[in-house]
Amino acid sequence: MTTKATINRLATRVPGLDEVLGGGLPEFSFNLIAGPPGCGKTTLAHQIMFALATPERPAIYFIVLGEPPLKMLRYQQQFDFFDSEAINDSVRFVCLSDEAMSGDLDRVLVRIVEEVTARNPRLVFVDSFRSVVIANESGGSPRTSLQLFVQQLGMLMTSWQATTFLVGEYFNETDANPVFTVADGLIWLRQSVQRNSMVRKLEIVKMRGQATLPGLHTFRIDNAGIRVFAPPHVVATGSAAPEAAVHARRALMGVPALDDMLGGGLPRGYSLLVAGPSGSGKSILAAAFLAEGARCGETGVVAAFEQHPNRVRNPVLIDLIARGQVGLIDSREPDLSIDEITLLILTEVRRLKASRVVLDSLSGFELALAPTFKTDFRESLLGLVTALAHAGVSVLMTSELEDRYTDLRFSPYGAAFLTDAIIVQRYIEIDSRLLRVMAVVKVRASHHSNELRLYTIDDAGICMGAMLPEQEGLLGGRPTRKHVPGLPALSGGADGA
Amino acid sequence: MPLKSAEGLRWPASLADRVTDGADAGQVADAVVAIWLEIDQVLHPIIGQRGVAALYNRSLHLAAVTYPWLAIDKPGFPVQVDPSALRSALAQRTAAEAAVGGNALFHAFHELLASLVGASLTDRLLRSVWTHSSPGSTAQDTSL
């Protein structure tokens, strides 16, 4: 029989936060929510409170100074989580501004003790505990008082078995180390501003007794409240992998000749990069990939980052979306993070039990990201691809490739090494015509063709053509005719196979 | 629970519950003041004494537009609700005038609070006041 204390974890129900916390908040913990003004501290505190408070587990929210209570109630009720009916029932607001204004910390503590004794709350919030001290700063040494105040409060709340949150404004972490020592948990909220984009980030600096996810996690505040975007690998766990029967077969591309070139289609769970210059038919191939899936009874998800918002122009795709066989992610939110996009995609994959995902295109995707993420684009993309692979879906990504005839390039991001398979499309000039060729460059752990084949695009989609054995130097863009006697001259037209 | 959604119905009902027919102005004034003390009791833990006092004074100011004899708000920063001036102002009118003025003041207050924190939260906060219980009981004691 074990005699160890059991630490229960409270699910905050703030999307993503429990994952980042490593499974929820430890019961009876003493936590600080800190950060600069306007970063969402009070919102986070309210959201946690309304999620956790029940008549059996009541909460008290002490409003010290700072925001006038009326204003706080006015703004917080805009969020979906705010529940007027809970107020004065499972949730109780207590204004301590009169005590705080006196500048006497003991009076504030006495009031808190009184209320806690009278109500026996299981959750206690103090917003903002920092202003208590600022009010006190005129007399005596503020740091000692603050530490004493927080220590006494911590002792008191632990003995009352209350999970406690102190909300406070801090501009940097070195600001008040002594206070941070006392706390069991420290949730730090930040706003990163770069050019005219603003990205909110959250960090669990400390959480005693459990393994949290390290680093900065982006979050967004909208009408529903705060949504934290946990890293892709965490989000992906628990994804339902497509059924084994589906797994056994390769994913066909919707272009039979291309399937042959791939060695029988794209192996399941692979990521495929389709790289080519503007207008080479990458999106059309992507649509064919989804349409073929739909034909076989599979569902798919397309994340579109095209230059024309709200408008997917491919008729095949429009039809698939309308019939619900393909889910569209067309996020026009500003300042996207890769974690957010990953979450959107995986949520949609789970909803539709999708087995195919299209990202069209990486270039548009990069443009849609907030500037602060662009430096880590490759790392984040790797996270996204890994998460999707973990979820068991086959991924097709398109990448705009500037036509360069001096070197053979597949992607401007070095994304090539991230993917399991690569198809490259190029323009070539033959007989005063601009023709297209396509080749399968790589299919990891699989046999594949090494042919460089002509292809055309018409109303029916992509049509693979022949090789050009009598030409050489195709990848240089300006092939020359080999002198092979007996071969007929190339007509130059698009000679569908 | 007499939760009527039509604005303005609650306060007269609340006041009417407490004042019997044929009451004189002094009794109406006492009833109005008693309600104000309950409002203060219910709200000051949440928004602070100064917060309630500020709303109270602003309500007097608003109601005085129609009933100039209600222009009794004191100058300066209000520290707490002090209904003694209101009591004497009401007691000097006829019973009917006092009831109408008292209702107008409650109405102004209700509108003001609802404009700030919304009708549903206002209703939630003030529910115990207009679901009239015995005088002296506070909202805080009934819910836990």
Side-chain angles (χ1 to χ4, degrees), chain A residues 36-203:
Chain A
C39 66
K41 299 181 296 294
T42 299
T43 304
L44 180 63
H46 273 80
Q47 195 169 349
I48 292 176
M49 175 171 69
F50 280 105
L52 289 179
T54 57
E56 298 75 38
R57 190 164 60 197
I60 296 189
Y61 199 102
F62 291 102
I63 307 161
V64 189
L65 274 181
E67 225 179 334
L70 275 176
K71 279 294 171 62
M72 192 189 72
L73 294 173
R74 176 176 169 80
Y75 291 118
Q76 289 300 320
Q77 68 176 267
Q78 307 303 321
F79 292 111
D80 295 344
F81 58 73
F82 192 92
D83 177 12
S84 294
E85 283 305 304
I87 289 169
N88 285 350
D89 186 20
S90 53
V91 166
R92 186 167 293 276
F93 288 96
V94 175
C95 176
L96 297 182
S97 61
D98 296 328
E99 285 78 4
M101 253 187 256
S102 72
D104 185 351
L105 285 185
D106 290 339
R107 273 189 66 190
V108 177
L109 266 178
V110 165
R111 265 307 297 284
I112 292 178
V113 173
E114 277 173 12
E115 290 289 338
V116 168
T117 312
R119 303 287 170 205
N120 198 15
R122 287 285 164 271
L123 301 160
V124 170
F125 297 80
V126 182
D127 183 4
S128 109
F129 75 100
R130 191 92 199 285
S131 52
V132 176
V133 180
I134 292 167
N136 190 46
E137 253 167 13
S138 43
S141 63
R143 182 149 288 192
T144 327
S145 315
L146 174 62
Q147 198 177 0
L148 206 63
F149 175 81
V150 173
Q151 254 164 5
Q152 287 179 330
L153 202 58
M155 217 150 49
L156 179 77
M157 293 309 161
T158 310
S159 67
W160 276 94
Q161 295 168 291
T163 310
T164 308
F165 300 84
L166 303 191
V167 180
E169 271 171 22
Y170 279 99
F171 295 88
N172 60 68
E173 277 154 276
T174 53
D175 218 4
N177 288 325
V179 173
F180 297 165
T181 319
V182 180
D184 301 316
L186 175 51
I187 302 176
W188 201 282
L189 307 183
R190 287 185 179 78
Q191 295 174 100
S192 132
V193 178
Q194 204 170 337
R195 300 196 205 156
N196 56 358
S197 98
M198 192 271 281
V199 174
R200 299 177 187 275
K201 293 177 183 175
L202 170 149
E203 184 183 5

Side-chain angles (χ1 to χ4, degrees), chain A residues 309-364:
Chain A
N310 310 322
R311 201 151 54 104
V312 173
R313 285 169 298 171
N314 188 309
V316 178
L317 206 49
I318 291 170
D319 186 46
L320 289 173
I321 292 166
R323 283 191 279 140
Q325 285 169 304
V326 167
L328 171 68
I329 291 165
D330 184 17
S331 180
R332 293 293 139 198
E333 298 263 29
D335 307 330
L336 278 175
S337 68
I338 293 208
D339 289 349
E340 181 170 356
I341 273 294
T342 309
L343 186 69
L344 287 174
I345 294 174
L346 284 173
T347 308
E348 193 69 357
V349 164
R350 274 176 212 159
R351 186 177 73 81
L352 291 170
K353 296 189 170 54
S355 54
R356 298 177 180 224
V357 170
V358 164
L359 284 178
D360 188 19
S361 65
L362 291 185
S363 334

Side-chain angles (χ1 to χ4, degrees), chain B residues 13-26:
Chain B
S14 175
L15 186 57
D17 285 349
R18 300 178 193 222
V19 183
T20 49
D21 287 341
D24 63 18

Side-chain angles (χ1 to χ4, degrees), chain A residues 188-421:
Chain A
W188 201 282
L189 307 183
R190 287 185 179 78
Q191 295 174 100
S192 132
V193 178
Q194 204 170 337
R195 300 196 205 156
N196 56 358
S197 98
M198 192 271 281
V199 174
R200 299 177 187 275
K201 293 177 183 175
L202 170 149
E203 184 183 5
I204 312 297
V205 180
K206 163 180 178 182
M207 189 57 69
R208 282 191 183 129
Q210 63 195 56
T212 57
L213 297 181
L216 297 170
H217 305 285
T218 52
F219 68 98
R220 194 176 277 286
I221 302 180
D222 56 22
N223 287 341
I226 288 178
R227 270 182 301 152
V228 182
F229 304 111
H233 66 91
V234 180
V235 181
T237 51
S239 291
E243 292 158 29
V246 175
H247 251 293
R249 293 175 285 112
R250 288 191 175 202
L252 300 182
M253 301 296 299
V255 182
L258 186 58
D259 287 329
D260 295 341
M261 288 168 72
L262 283 163
L266 182 68
R268 293 285 171 176
Y270 270 35
S271 53
L272 165 67
L273 180 71
V274 178
S278 186
S280 68
K282 300 180 295 295
S283 297
I284 292 171
L285 182 57
F289 175 68
L290 291 173
E292 179 64 17
R295 202 181 59 80
C296 306
E298 298 171 36
T299 45
V301 173
V302 57
F305 301 96
E306 294 182 15
Q307 290 89 338
H308 295 273
N310 310 322
R311 201 151 54 104
V312 173
R313 285 169 298 171
N314 188 309
V316 178
L317 206 49
I318 291 170
D319 186 46
L320 289 173
I321 292 166
R323 283 191 279 140
Q325 285 169 304
V326 167
L328 171 68
I329 291 165
D330 184 17
S331 180
R332 293 293 139 198
E333 298 263 29
D335 307 330
L336 278 175
S337 68
I338 293 208
D339 289 349
E340 181 170 356
I341 273 294
T342 309
L343 186 69
L344 287 174
I345 294 174
L346 284 173
T347 308
E348 193 69 357
V349 164
R350 274 176 212 159
R351 186 177 73 81
L352 291 170
K353 296 189 170 54
S355 54
R356 298 177 180 224
V357 170
V358 164
L359 284 178
D360 188 19
S361 65
L362 291 185
S363 334
F365 183 20
E366 195 191 12
L367 283 177
L369 290 179
T372 171
F373 300 115
K374 290 184 183 170
T375 45
D376 298 330
F377 186 71
R378 268 179 66 187
E379 286 81 351
S380 310
L381 194 60
L382 177 62
L384 169 61
V385 171
T386 312
L388 290 174
H390 202 279
V393 295
S394 308
V395 188
L396 188 154
M397 296 178 279
T398 66
S399 175
E400 186 89 356
L401 193 58
E402 205 181 321
D403 247 352
R404 289 202 191 167
Y405 295 109
T406 48
D407 53 355
L408 183 60
R409 287 158 41 105
F410 304 116
S411 148
Y413 309 108
F417 88 98
L418 302 176
T419 58
D420 302 308

Side-chain angles (χ1 to χ4, degrees), chain B residues 27-44:
Chain B
Q27 285 167 315
V28 173
D30 286 339
V32 169
V33 166
I35 294 177
W36 273 111
L37 292 176
E38 279 180 40
I39 292 175
D40 185 40
Q41 197 101 47
V42 166
L43 288 184
H44 91 243

